[in-house]
Amino acid sequence: MNKAPLGVFDSGIGGLTVARALFERLPHESVIYFGDTARVPYGPKSPDTVRRYSGEILAYLLNRGVKAVVVACNTSTAHALGYLKERSTVPVVGVIEPGARAAVAATKTGTIGVIGTAGTVASGAYERAIKALRPDARVHSQPCPLFVPLVEEGWFEHPAAELIAREYLAPLQRAKVDVLVLGCTHYPLLKPLLARVMGPGVKLVDSAEETATAVARELERLDLLANGGSHDHRFVVSDDEPHFRKVGARFLGEKLKQVEVVPLG
Ligand code: DGL
């Protein structure tokens, strides 16, 4: 029994999709969520910059006494997971390995599509994770940088979003992927649109849900579960608290009560 909170962080708002999945999967756990809204987006930034920002957030969360850290951001996981694990005194879980595991379990043909930010796709992290589990898999990756601002605008079903999705996903359709990994915090909100564009033969893998399952397993294995009692969720951002509160409610599926502002760096 361990009542210390879980630390969850993202470049901004998107990681609330992971927080939401954690709340559902682990209702007794308390979460401190940090969104780096002052420095979002991480997608187009260099690996060194993303590692530095992620390291600062890790130090902040460790200071707040978290018992484990969930890297909800795909770009941070892609560039910084190893770096964070080396520096952390508590377990660190990223979103890529769980997503890769689910993709490998779901594919029938071994042809897997991955969509993510420019940084995530350029890092090749999903491809490596998938191939470590299934060496003969064929992985087709596609950066979709315009999806992040579309989701932030709330344009989940807008004709512009559909046009852009058709353009981005055409190469993956031509490659005949039978699984599409949503390798970015924002993409679960586009699920109905992406499912429609890809068609019924393609299974969508949501890293948020898979990560929540992986975190539950890891907490159980390390005997760190809260096991009952009430939770206390905290939300912290590095800037622009009103926007986080407004758009964040859509990601989380409920209102955000208290949001603290803590500038880092
Ligand atoms: N959180 C980022 C990710 O999952 C998307 C937004 C950004 O580029 O910072 O990759």
Side-chain angles (χ1 to χ4, degrees):
M1 169 99 164
N2 187 323
K3 290 298 285 176
L6 277 175
V8 178
F9 82 86
D10 179 44
S11 55
I13 291 171
L16 288 173
T17 53
V18 177
R20 181 181 187 165
L22 284 168
F23 294 168
E24 278 163 18
R25 185 73 180 68
L26 293 163
H28 301 299
E29 299 297 333
S30 295
V31 165
I32 298 182
Y33 179 93
F34 188 91
D36 198 3
T37 47
R39 303 188 288 198
V40 70
Y42 283 11
K45 296 201 168 75
S46 72
D48 275 351
T49 299
V50 173
R51 270 193 287 275
R52 178 159 53 84
Y53 290 173
S54 304
E56 287 169 10
I57 300 169
L58 173 72
Y60 171 77
L61 290 172
L62 290 176
N63 241 331
R64 295 220 26 185
V66 299
K67 63 182 171 186
V69 171
V70 181
V71 185
C73 179
N74 288 260
T75 311
S76 285
T77 304
H79 293 321
L81 188 68
Y83 174 90
L84 295 172
K85 280 186 170 171
E86 276 169 27
R87 278 156 188 78
S88 181
T89 48
V90 301
V92 182
V93 179
V95 280
I96 290 182
E97 219 270 334
R101 195 166 288 283
V104 168
T107 185
K108 291 202 176 79
T109 62
T111 308
I112 297 170
V114 176
I115 52 176
T117 65
T120 298
V121 169
S123 77
Y126 267 107
E127 186 160 355
R128 275 194 302 281
I130 290 168
K131 290 207 162 152
L133 297 164
R134 181 167 170 172
D136 69 336
R138 288 164 306 281
V139 182
H140 298 269
S141 304
Q142 173 70 45
C144 303
L146 293 174
F147 281 171
V148 168
L150 286 170
V151 168
E152 298 259 340
E153 278 299 306
W155 287 12
F156 310 139
E157 285 290 343
H158 193 284
E162 172 143 7
L163 199 69
I164 290 166
R166 291 203 182 278
E167 187 74 25
Y168 278 151
L169 300 180
L172 302 180
Q173 286 174 305
R174 279 198 297 275
K176 295 199 167 29
V177 302
D178 73 341
V179 167
L180 181 66
V181 181
L182 310 185
C184 173
T185 47
H186 286 58
Y187 302 172
L189 285 126
L190 295 171
K191 235 187 207 172
L193 171 67
L194 300 177
R196 207 169 56 242
V197 171
M198 291 307 285
V202 178
K203 190 166 187 288
L204 304 189
V205 166
D206 179 345
S207 299
E209 282 167 19
E210 304 306 332
T211 302
T213 305
V215 171
R217 225 180 283 131
E218 191 65 359
L219 292 183
E220 189 169 358
R221 187 178 72 81
L222 298 169
D223 205 15
L224 288 175
L225 281 167
N227 277 333
S230 61
H231 60 244
D232 177 25
H233 300 319
R234 305 275 165 132
F235 300 93
V236 187
V237 292
S238 47
D239 196 10
D240 201 1
E241 178 258 336
H243 181 72
F244 181 83
R245 195 188 283 277
K246 182 167 153 255
V247 182
R250 251 185 254 149
F251 280 78
L252 199 58
E254 62 186 73
K255 270 203 165 149
L256 286 148
K257 280 161 241 143
Q258 260 185 324
V259 180
E260 237 178 288
V261 181
V262 177
L264 295 182

